[in-house]
Amino acid sequence: MIAAMGKNRELGLDNKLLWKIPADMKNFVKVTKGKPIIVGRKTFESFGRPLPKRLNVVITRNKDYKYDHENVVIFHDPQAAVNFLKDEGYEESVVCGGAFIYEIYMNEIDRLYLSRVDWQGEADTFFPPFDEGKFKLDEEIEFEATDETPFWKYEVYKR
Ligand SMILES: NC(=O)c1ccc[n+]([C@@H]2O[C@H](COP(=O)([O-])OP(=O)(O)OC[C@H]3O[C@@H](n4cnc5c(N)ncnc54)[C@H](OP(=O)(O)O)[C@@H]3O)[C@@H](O)[C@H]2O)c1
C-alpha cells in the first residue's frame, strides 16, 4: 500500500491531491512501476489516464462502468480483484487508494509506504487509521522543506 497524508491524515480534495512534491511522485513511480495497482474508481479518474506500464485494477460498484484499455481491468468485488491477481501469478500489487480502498485492504497488506507531509488544510478524503502495533517501521527518510515543498518524511512499514 502506498499513500501520502497530511498532518491530519488529509489525502485529497475535490478528487485532486493536496500538494506537489516531485520527489514523492518519483518515489510513487518507483514503488509501483511494473506492478499492478489497485485503485478506487475516483482515484483512477483523478489520474486522467491509466498509469502507464502497469496493470490498473479499478474497483467500482457500477456494473456498467467500462474503460476500454489493455492495461485496465475492472472489478466490483475487492476480494475478486485480489484472487484475479493471484491467479494471474502477480507476486506483488500496490494498493494506491483512495480512502475506501485503503480501508478495504488494510488488513491484507504486507508493506506500507507512507509519506507524512507537514501540511494541514481543507480536505475531503483522509487516510484511515492503521494498527501501528502490527507493523514495524523499516525505513525512514526525512526531506527538508524547500521554497516549493513542505517538509515530508518517507516511511516504510513491514507487517
Ligand atoms: N494522497 C494520496 O496518497 C492519495 C492516494 C489516492 C487518492 N488520493 C485522493 O483521494 C481522493 C479519492 O479517494 P476517495 O476515497 O474519494 O475515492 P476512491 O477510494 O478512489 O474511490 C471510491 C470509489 O471506489 C468504489 N468502491 C469503494 N468501495 C467499494 C466496494 N466495497 N466495492 C466496490 N467498489 C467500491 C466506488 O466506486 P463507484 O462510485 O464507481 O461505485 C467508490 O465511489 C482524491 O482526492 C485523490 O486525489 C490521495
Side-chain angles (χ1 to χ4, degrees):
M1 178 172 290
I2 187 162
M5 70 172 185
K7 279 170 113 165
N8 305 305
R9 314 189 80 85
E10 300 97 328
L11 287 174
L13 177 68
D14 296 335
N15 221 22
K16 293 192 192 82
L17 295 176
L18 298 161
W19 44 73
K20 250 195 168 139
I21 306 181
D24 190 41
M25 287 311 278
K26 230 169 134 177
N27 196 54
F28 175 85
V29 172
K30 191 174 143 206
V31 169
T32 59
K33 207 159 192 177
K35 296 169 201 156
I37 58 164
I38 306 178
V39 283
R41 192 262 310 160
K42 289 185 185 170
T43 296
F44 177 66
E45 288 183 351
S46 79
F47 295 156
R49 68 191 167 114
L51 294 195
K53 298 185 183 150
R54 279 148 279 206
L55 183 65
N56 291 228
V57 178
V58 182
I59 311 290
T60 173
R61 288 193 183 87
N62 181 356
K63 296 265 165 34
D64 297 324
Y65 193 77
K66 292 207 169 40
Y67 199 98
D68 191 17
H69 191 285
E70 58 178 354
N71 284 348
V72 178
V73 287
I74 293 163
F75 282 90
H76 310 292
D77 171 8
Q79 195 52 50
V82 172
N83 295 343
F84 163 81
L85 290 165
K86 283 185 179 154
D87 290 348
E88 290 290 306
Y90 291 106
E91 284 183 10
E92 189 183 349
S93 309
V94 190
V95 177
C96 299
F100 297 112
I101 298 305
Y102 287 137
E103 226 172 302
I104 290 170
Y105 292 108
M106 189 58 88
N107 291 327
E108 296 190 46
I109 59 161
D110 297 319
R111 219 172 306 157
L112 170 63
Y113 302 87
L114 183 63
S115 297
R116 293 185 191 259
V117 183
D118 191 20
W119 182 98
Q120 57 184 336
E122 193 187 356
D124 58 16
T125 320
F126 297 85
F127 190 66
F130 67 103
D131 186 352
E132 295 198 25
K134 291 197 172 136
F135 291 87
K136 182 174 150 285
L137 185 60
D138 191 55
E139 197 181 330
E140 187 179 22
I141 308 171
E142 295 189 349
F143 294 83
E144 289 308 320
T146 67
D147 289 346
E148 285 86 37
T149 56
F151 168 86
W152 65 287
K153 205 158 76 165
Y154 170 68
E155 298 179 338
V156 182
Y157 291 87
K158 285 188 176 164
R159 191 179 286 279

